[in-house]
Amino acid sequence: MQFSLDTSLDKQARLAQESRDFAAAVPWGELVLKQIRTSQFELSHAHLLHQDKLYRPDKRHYWALRVKVPQHLQDGFGTAPELLVVTIPGEVQSRDLAAAEREIRQDPEQRLDPDLVIVVSDWPELASRLELFPAARGRCVAWQVERGGPDGYHLTALPEALGAALATHDIFNERDPVRGRHVIGRRDEIRHLTQQVLMGRSTGLFGLRKVGKTTLIRKVTDELDSLSVNTPAGFSAPHVEEGSPRALVFFADAQDVVEHSLEALLSLLHRTIEERLARQGLAPSLPRKGDLSRFDRLLEQALAATPLPLCLVIDEYDYLFEPEPIPGLSKLLRLLRAKAQATRRLAIVVAGRDPTLLQAPKLDGVPHPMLGWFQDLWIGPFDKGSADEALRKLGRRVGLEVGSTTLSTAMEWTLGHPLLHRQFGSALWRILRRGNRTADKLPSDPHLKKAQHVFCELDAVRTICQEIRALLSEKYPESYSLLRYLTEGLAGDASDIFAMHGGYGAGPSRVLRHFGLLGGTEQSPVLPGILRWYLKSESA
Amino acid sequence: MADHENPYRWNNHVVAPDVELHRQPRLDETMRALQRGGGVVLLGGRGLGKSVFLRQLETHLRKKPGVAVFTLDPPVKRSLEGGLAELARLLEVPMTTEPAPPSARELIDQFLERRKDVQVVVLLFDELDQYTIQDKESPGTLGRVWFDHLESARKNTGRLGILAAGGLGVYLLRHVLSSSFLSRASWEKLLPFSEEELHRLAEPFARRGQPLEAEVLEAIRLASGGNPALATYALENLWDTTERTPAKVADIYSRFQVTHHEFVRSALRSLTAEELSGVPAKVLDLVRQAGGAVKRGPLLKTVQQAQGAKLDLKDAFDLLESAGLIRLEGALTDDPVHARLVASLLNLTLESHFQGETETGLIGDLEDLLSLMHSMGVDLLQASKGRELLPEAVYSAFLCMGLRSKGWQAEREAQHGAGRTDIKARRPGRDDLGLIEVKIWGRNDYDGIHHQLCSYWSSHVRVGAAVMLTTSDLPNWGSDYKATCLGGPGLVITEQAVCPPVRAHFIVESRTPDGVTARVHHLLLRIPKR
């Protein structure tokens, strides 16, 4: 069942009846209703969470409540007009959260907040329990029912529960790829990659580590094919809209290859394809041998079984080439290219640091099969709009009013590098929110100086700077030299420095620009403030 | 456990519950990161309690419904396949090898498929160094391959938490592309026990009605530097003895240096590791020389000169801090950087000045040790009582231990009494003796230090050393000292060139009551309160 618009029933009467049913069915139901009322929230609907006894034999104790959020909290936290409150006596299970997800997805008015769900339960250490579910992390707020009090139970006010969640969870400090609605910006890249896949064209996504390559690919592949990643009970792939696939996506990570051999790589790809086909109800019957001809036949069968375009993603492709290319890799790449060219329904997407490994003239002693095949898509930093959106949006979630001075300062320091930008938010959170359980909206601008200091000291920030330095100094020494000159302001003005390194359009400068480490113009180049600070601070 | 059974086991991770300290905030934070499917690096040197911490972590996580936790050992077969086989064995999932072994991700998926009650798998790895430093030809290879592979499973499932604990090994995992595991992991650093934690560790003595004297605990703190294993070693050895004095503590640790020198070597391994180009040792040297305020320029030059090390200044300081060797105060971006040595036997240098002559050898070594004491600064003072100096007995115990580490047979008198000096020192196989007396300026009978030393003189004594300590900044201390302590007839005083941080150095010759000429070096040291 889903929430429906009241048109004919007496709304008040219906709600009164739902409330009575809820209070009768849940031991601490009356207390929940009381706290909702006293916290100035307003109950608008209540019904059973599980419609099927299959999920919960005692389903009458599990409820979905829909509450209207007071205006000041909507403003403070940037929530939607209504929140979903699910009541779960005892242990929270993934099926309960999946049911909550369905409620939100099927909300006819789309007034429910998709990124904030209140889970109320008497399960001890509820917050800790919720952390175990990937889709609940940073999204579900624990509203803990305690034993005690005059009614036998105790429940804090709802704003307090919200405040406690804000004070303990650093929403900015996410270091892994994000999914679905949590992806910010990159609209052009998403559109472009989607087109490429649908047209059976191959694409290489390149950029620094943690710049958002996997996030971008997943955003596209989730939208094209919600079953592209095998996740239990639809719960590890949060916020992914289910629907008919527009392509079949096979997602492989080169770090999953267990031996540096063609057999092991083929085995991984075979398994990846086979599993996805099985989820589609297609079951090719080929023994999983690390054999090129069998892999060829598997691709043939997949192409024959569906009219949809196929997309093979190889994330972290650099690992196939390092320390040496996998012996025989050229044969596999040649096969993939031939298949893609012949059918125009097989798009290969690779993601890694840079395209040089695909541009070498030869591989295995023969002409490199990938030469000129991939369309390069460099994933650099956020543009100003997306960077601002990221800080504002996440800031609102934790009751921070991210001001315009903060936005421009953050951009100066990070030049829009997504993870660095989030870490700038994390610095703000640490100063203003950690341990602060109030639900007040807190302005960030007055705390900028301290935030910059905290930002520079964050481990994740330092790690990124260190990785950039190591990568450039080892792999791109000319670019590193250029970066050092620009950082130190050596050798006169910027044009002279570029000239010393072959000119603004030359390789060393281009690498920095591709990696998003150099912005501005030839006359007024801009570097991420944090990188400049790091290199200077490490300079004798 | 029976009331009087010794509850301490310094080298055994299975500690009696009543002496086990829980570093709760760090435990909570780490648990939370792991439950969320995060990667964590736990940085800690030898004896800093990594294994105990991991065991506590495992115990806590086991109690959580929905979490399955496993501790993995380095694979016998040092390869990715070996690691996978070990993982499969623990997860109790089949490990087929044809056409290729399953990936970690598949193993985790299979486990989760079978165990529907589990939401998150947590893998704990102790001794990360074992994954890296045994690969002689290419250090770090197994560790890199294994952890990068696991990282893929972690990143792509969101249901795998990984913690790897180590010291030096953490840095050997790095390569040009860094390590994908290290790249996204959060870092936790285990530091030595604080004074309050040491007191808690000693609580079993109080529970059986025999609390340790404050000066005994201070002596333990000064010798162990708060290293949990070292502190536990002293408590374990004090439990069954009635002699619980600073002198006994010095004896215990001197014995430790002999019988467990491998522990000390291993604790200091990261300092001189070839793979890190010896950068940590060089940084430590600068900290030692600077006595509390280290100029950033030389620090950065030292780090940069070691091109292949891929360490930055923060890494070097992290490594030294987590080895329990230095303490950083303030930020690394300050100039000078405020850092000092931790008072610990691990920081006692082993080289001796002795080259056949007792006087120059002993005085040279004492000057070294006083310089170290100056570098250790506030560690040598009472933390809880306004940064005052500790009882003399604690310092003489510390010097005694230092001399022993430099090859002297140093005896520390347990009880003060007539005819007893603080320390008697001699080189093995020689009769020549040196006498050392330690006093605190302005305290007790400090002004009689010279005559006291002379009164202990015997025919084998070749040299005496009077060490006077203060925390006060006394502008005319040298002349005040002469007037106060070196008065009286018949004293021939020669002022020596000062070797900083010693504030003044006098050689005083006088006749003993037996008519022998006594030659005593007077060394004045101010211990900074910072």
Side-chain angles (χ1 to χ4, degrees):
Chain A
M1 194 176 90
Q2 52 184 262
F3 293 114
S4 57
L5 294 171
D6 259 329
T7 50
S8 57
L9 289 175
D10 179 338
K11 189 176 174 183
Q12 292 299 324
R14 174 191 54 77
L15 200 53
Q17 185 58 49
E18 287 172 353
S19 298
R20 280 195 296 278
D21 292 346
F22 169 69
V26 178
W28 25 267
E30 189 59 55
L31 186 59
V32 171
L33 294 175
K34 185 176 150 193
Q35 285 294 9
I36 287 174
R37 276 195 303 273
T38 54
S39 302
Q40 297 176 300
F41 285 76
E42 185 188 335
L43 183 71
S44 60
H45 287 80
H47 65 233
L48 293 181
L49 179 63
H50 297 289
Q51 306 309 313
D52 196 329
K53 280 192 175 178
L54 190 67
Y55 293 114
R56 286 287 194 183
D58 50 351
K59 62 174 187 165
R60 67 190 182 88
H61 300 305
Y62 300 80
W63 284 73
L65 313 180
R66 187 170 172 149
V67 295
K68 289 182 184 164
V69 185
Q71 192 60 46
H72 71 281
L73 290 178
Q74 282 187 52
D75 295 342
F77 298 122
T79 70
E82 298 191 20
L83 289 180
L84 180 68
V85 179
V86 293
T87 66
I88 301 167
E91 189 180 54
V92 178
Q93 302 278 355
S94 61
R95 67 194 95 155
D96 302 318
L97 299 175
E101 175 72 32
R102 274 197 300 278
E103 291 288 351
I104 290 172
R105 199 176 288 156
Q106 294 170 0
D107 172 21
E109 300 167 90
Q110 298 203 326
R111 284 172 59 81
L112 279 172
D113 196 301
D115 292 321
L116 192 58
V117 177
I118 312 292
V119 178
V120 51
S121 171
D122 53 1
W123 184 253
E125 296 186 44
L126 174 63
S128 174
R129 175 75 187 163
L130 290 174
E131 295 271 290
L132 296 177
F133 301 96
R137 293 171 195 154
R139 187 183 184 206
C140 292
V141 169
W143 197 11
Q144 179 78 61
V145 178
E146 310 269 9
R147 292 266 172 191
D151 306 325
Y153 296 100
H154 173 73
L155 191 61
T156 57
L158 186 47
E160 274 179 45
L162 281 169
L166 304 181
T168 52
H169 178 60
D170 181 1
I171 194 172
F172 294 99
N173 190 21
E174 179 55 70
R175 303 179 190 198
D176 290 331
V178 295
R179 307 285 289 273
R181 284 191 307 276
H182 291 177
V183 178
I184 291 169
R186 310 278 195 208
R187 291 174 190 89
D188 291 343
E189 291 95 331
I190 290 167
R191 198 176 309 116
H192 177 70
L193 183 59
T194 305
Q195 283 303 311
Q196 288 281 104
V197 171
L198 290 175
M199 295 170 75
R201 291 181 185 154
S202 296
T203 312
L205 274 76
F206 307 110
L208 290 172
R209 176 175 272 157
K210 293 179 285 194
V211 81
K213 299 185 293 293
T214 306
T215 294
L216 172 60
I217 295 175
R218 284 276 170 80
K219 175 71 177 171
V220 170
T221 57
D222 282 345
E223 285 181 2
L224 289 174
D225 179 5
S226 63
L227 296 178
S228 62
V229 178
N230 185 16
T231 50
F235 212 74
S236 283
H239 330 307
V240 174
E241 296 297 325
E242 289 173 3
S244 301
R246 291 191 285 153
L248 290 194
V249 177
F250 315 118
F251 191 101
D253 188 322
Q255 287 183 104
D256 279 336
V257 180
V258 292
E259 288 168 5
H260 206 62
S261 70
L262 187 61
E263 290 71 26
L265 173 59
L266 286 170
S267 179
L268 171 73
L269 297 180
H270 196 123
R271 196 163 51 233
T272 305
I273 293 172
E274 199 176 61
E275 284 171 4
R276 175 63 193 94
L277 291 176
R279 290 197 288 279
Q280 194 68 13
L282 307 168
S285 55
L286 282 171
R288 194 188 295 170
K289 290 266 166 92
D291 174 300
L292 206 56
S293 60
R294 282 176 207 274
F295 183 69
D296 185 12
R297 279 162 54 201
L298 178 71
L299 284 177
E300 289 290 344
Q301 287 189 7
L303 286 160
T306 174
L308 295 171
L310 307 185
C311 172
L312 175 61
V313 179
I314 304 179
D315 200 2
E316 308 276 6
Y317 92 98
D318 320 58
Y319 281 82
L320 304 179
F321 290 82
E322 288 175 350
E324 297 293 327
I326 288 177
L329 181 61
S330 63
K331 293 179 196 164
L332 171 64
L333 297 181
R334 197 172 301 114
L335 170 71
L336 290 173
R337 179 171 180 164
K339 199 65 69 188
Q341 271 178 324
T343 64
R344 303 208 177 275
R345 278 207 295 129
L346 174 63
I348 314 295
V349 176
V350 297
R353 184 186 63 234
D354 67 32
T356 51
L357 299 169
L358 301 173
Q359 291 170 341
K362 291 199 169 184
L363 179 63
D364 290 336
V366 297
H368 201 310
M370 292 292 117
L371 266 179
W373 177 245
F374 284 97
Q375 185 172 102
D376 297 354
L377 183 57
W378 282 93
I379 307 302
F382 280 153
D383 57 28
K384 177 79 166 67
S386 299
D388 290 355
E389 181 191 347
L391 274 193
R392 276 216 176 98
K393 190 173 169 182
L394 295 172
R396 266 203 305 272
R397 278 279 163 228
V398 290
L400 292 181
E401 187 183 338
V402 180
S404 55
T405 314
T406 301
L407 295 174
S408 50
T409 305
M411 196 64 189
E412 282 165 23
W413 277 92
T414 70
L415 212 61
H417 183 294
L419 204 136
L420 286 175
H421 218 66
R422 288 185 83 116
Q423 289 295 316
F424 198 93
S426 180
L428 291 170
W429 181 88
R430 283 160 196 253
I431 294 166
L432 294 167
R433 261 292 160 218
R434 181 155 63 182
N436 180 354
R437 289 167 176 257
T438 62
D440 301 336
K441 197 171 182 179
L442 307 168
S444 66
D445 283 353
H447 305 275
L448 257 184
K449 197 169 177 186
K450 194 170 177 194
Q452 289 168 50
H453 181 72
V454 171
F455 172 69
C456 293
E457 298 289 324
L458 293 176
D459 271 343
V461 171
R462 194 177 128 263
T463 300
I464 291 173
C465 292
Q466 205 172 36
E467 285 176 356
I468 290 171
R469 188 186 64 164
L471 175 68
L472 293 181
S473 61
E474 295 280 338
K475 293 274 184 186
Y476 310 93
E478 279 296 300
S479 300
Y480 186 57
S481 166
L482 173 59
L483 183 69
R484 296 303 302 238
Y485 268 86
L486 291 171
T487 301
E488 303 288 344
L490 303 171
D493 66 23
S495 299
D496 296 338
I497 295 174
F498 285 117
M500 277 174 60
H501 293 83
Y504 185 68
S509 161
R510 206 167 51 239
V511 166
L512 294 184
R513 278 182 279 129
H514 277 323
F515 282 146
L517 303 176
L518 175 60
T521 62
E522 182 174 0
Q523 287 70 36
S524 307
V526 180
L527 305 175
I530 183 62
L531 193 58
R532 189 191 285 269
W533 177 88
Y534 175 78
L535 292 173
K536 277 191 169 175
S537 73
E538 288 294 317
S539 165
Chain B
M1 179 172 286
D3 279 354
H4 297 296
E5 192 179 333
N6 193 333
Y8 298 101
R9 303 280 184 279
W10 81 278
N11 59 352
N12 192 338
H13 303 146
V14 184
V15 188
D18 62 342
V19 295
E20 188 165 316
L21 297 192
H22 289 250
R23 306 188 195 205
Q24 205 58 48
R26 181 139 293 153
L27 268 175
D28 291 342
E29 199 155 322
T30 308
M31 267 196 299
R32 185 148 190 263
L34 293 170
Q35 278 176 239
R36 292 174 59 80
V40 179
V41 170
L42 183 68
L43 191 61
R46 184 77 198 272
L48 264 288
K50 294 187 299 296
S51 299
V52 171
F53 187 86
L54 255 67
R55 188 167 42 72
Q56 292 171 348
L57 201 57
E58 185 175 357
T59 307
H60 281 70
L61 285 169
R62 277 195 194 291
K63 291 177 187 161
K64 300 227 170 238
V67 179
V69 56
F70 302 96
T71 297
L72 278 84
D73 294 321
V76 178
K77 187 177 171 190
R78 293 183 65 76
S79 63
L80 178 54
E81 191 177 339
L84 289 165
E86 173 69 5
L87 180 60
R89 187 183 66 77
L90 285 174
L91 297 176
E92 296 178 349
V93 293
M95 174 78 180
T96 52
T97 53
E98 287 297 326
S103 64
R105 185 176 175 187
E106 284 176 282
L107 294 174
I108 299 289
D109 282 347
Q110 285 179 46
F111 175 79
L112 291 171
E113 186 60 32
R114 180 165 56 83
R115 291 282 305 276
K116 299 284 188 196
D117 58 316
V118 174
Q119 299 302 326
V120 170
V121 175
V122 173
L123 303 181
L124 304 177
F125 296 85
D126 198 359
E127 304 293 347
L128 187 56
D129 299 5
Q130 296 293 317
Y131 291 83
T132 54
I133 58 181
Q134 284 181 8
D135 305 314
K136 293 289 180 206
E137 287 180 5
S138 179
T141 305
L142 170 65
R144 281 202 285 272
V145 171
W146 185 210
F147 284 96
D148 282 359
H149 183 77
L150 286 169
E151 171 65 6
S152 170
R154 191 199 66 74
K155 189 179 83 172
N156 289 308
T157 62
R159 300 177 69 185
L160 173 64
I162 302 171
L163 179 142
L168 172 62
V170 172
Y171 295 94
L172 299 187
L173 276 187
R174 288 184 177 164
H175 51 132
V176 175
L177 290 177
S178 179
S179 140
S180 55
F181 168 66
L182 294 181
S183 182
R184 292 183 193 269
S186 55
W187 289 57
E188 294 287 340
K189 199 161 46 179
L190 281 184
L191 296 177
F193 279 164
S194 64
E195 193 174 72
E196 187 264 331
E197 285 171 322
L198 282 178
H199 276 81
R200 275 166 49 205
L201 191 67
E203 273 173 8
F205 283 88
R207 280 202 289 274
R208 72 166 176 176
Q210 299 169 339
L212 291 179
E213 297 285 340
E215 64 180 37
V216 175
L217 279 170
E218 294 288 9
I220 294 174
R221 181 172 66 81
L222 259 54
S224 69
N227 179 303
L230 288 178
T232 308
Y233 179 83
L235 295 172
E236 183 178 344
N237 281 276
L238 286 173
W239 185 263
D240 294 320
T241 176
T242 51
E243 187 195 340
R244 299 194 188 106
T245 61
K248 182 67 182 172
V249 171
D251 285 345
I252 289 169
Y253 282 120
S254 297
R255 196 168 67 244
F256 180 88
Q257 287 172 301
V258 175
T259 54
H260 297 95
H261 65 275
E262 199 49 44
F263 178 97
V264 178
R265 264 186 57 182
S266 154
L268 300 178
R269 161 87 173 86
S270 58
L271 293 183
T272 51
E274 275 176 37
E275 300 90 334
L276 302 184
S277 310
V279 166
K282 291 172 191 163
V283 169
L284 182 67
D285 215 34
L286 289 173
V287 173
R288 183 185 294 127
Q289 290 163 17
V294 206
K295 291 263 183 225
R296 263 176 68 79
L299 283 171
L300 290 166
K301 269 192 187 139
T302 300
V303 174
Q304 283 166 7
Q305 277 164 4
Q307 291 291 331
K310 297 192 184 66
L311 286 184
D312 64 15
L313 193 55
K314 175 86 166 45
D315 292 326
F317 270 78
D318 279 347
L319 201 53
L320 292 171
E321 270 195 297
S322 62
L325 296 172
I326 63 165
R327 194 159 289 141
L328 176 66
E329 286 145 1
L332 267 179
T333 43
D334 294 344
D335 195 3
V337 175
H338 293 286
R340 60 188 164 73
L341 294 193
V342 170
S344 162
L345 66 85
L346 298 176
N347 266 325
L348 293 176
T349 49
L350 302 174
E351 293 83 12
S352 172
H353 289 264
F354 182 79
Q355 290 182 331
E357 214 277 308
T358 298
E359 180 175 343
T360 49
L362 183 65
I363 300 304
D365 284 350
L366 267 179
E367 282 180 329
D368 266 5
L369 292 169
L370 293 179
S371 172
L372 269 179
M373 286 173 70
H374 185 265
S375 303
M376 291 163 179
V378 74
D379 254 20
L380 297 178
L381 307 177
Q382 292 180 22
S384 50
K385 293 182 186 168
R387 303 281 185 218
E388 289 305 318
L389 282 161
L390 296 162
E392 290 154 357
V394 177
Y395 299 114
S396 51
F398 187 76
L399 284 176
C400 184
M401 205 171 57
L403 288 171
R404 284 171 180 164
S405 73
K406 285 172 174 286
W408 295 87
Q409 287 179 338
E411 289 171 37
R412 170 80 175 78
E413 296 295 346
Q415 302 291 330
H416 287 278
R420 300 281 179 88
T421 184
D422 279 356
I423 304 169
K424 284 194 277 190
R426 63 156 56 93
R427 296 304 288 189
R430 293 179 67 114
D431 290 335
D432 297 357
L433 260 183
L435 302 180
I436 298 145
E437 189 70 27
V438 180
K439 295 282 182 200
I440 291 171
W441 179 253
R443 201 183 283 185
N444 303 328
D445 52 351
Y446 76 105
D447 50 353
I449 188 167
H450 182 78
H451 298 292
Q452 211 173 328
L453 264 172
C454 289
S455 68
Y456 305 146
W457 218 265
S458 68
S459 57
H460 290 309
V461 177
R462 290 291 168 270
V463 65
V467 175
M468 187 65 70
L469 304 173
T470 189
T471 54
S472 307
D473 190 7
L474 306 169
N476 302 311
W477 194 18
S479 50
D480 289 351
Y481 184 84
K482 269 203 287 189
T484 311
C485 303
L486 303 178
L491 270 63
V492 181
I493 304 171
T494 314
E495 192 156 350
Q496 291 292 101
V498 172
C499 180
V502 169
R503 290 284 294 272
H505 182 173
F506 303 109
I507 299 177
V508 181
E509 291 185 344
S510 61
R511 304 290 286 182
T512 70
D514 299 334
V516 179
T517 300
R519 187 175 160 81
V520 178
H521 289 252
H522 289 256
L523 300 160
L524 279 59
L525 178 73
R526 174 177 172 251
I527 297 176
K529 278 192 170 186
R530 58 171 185 273

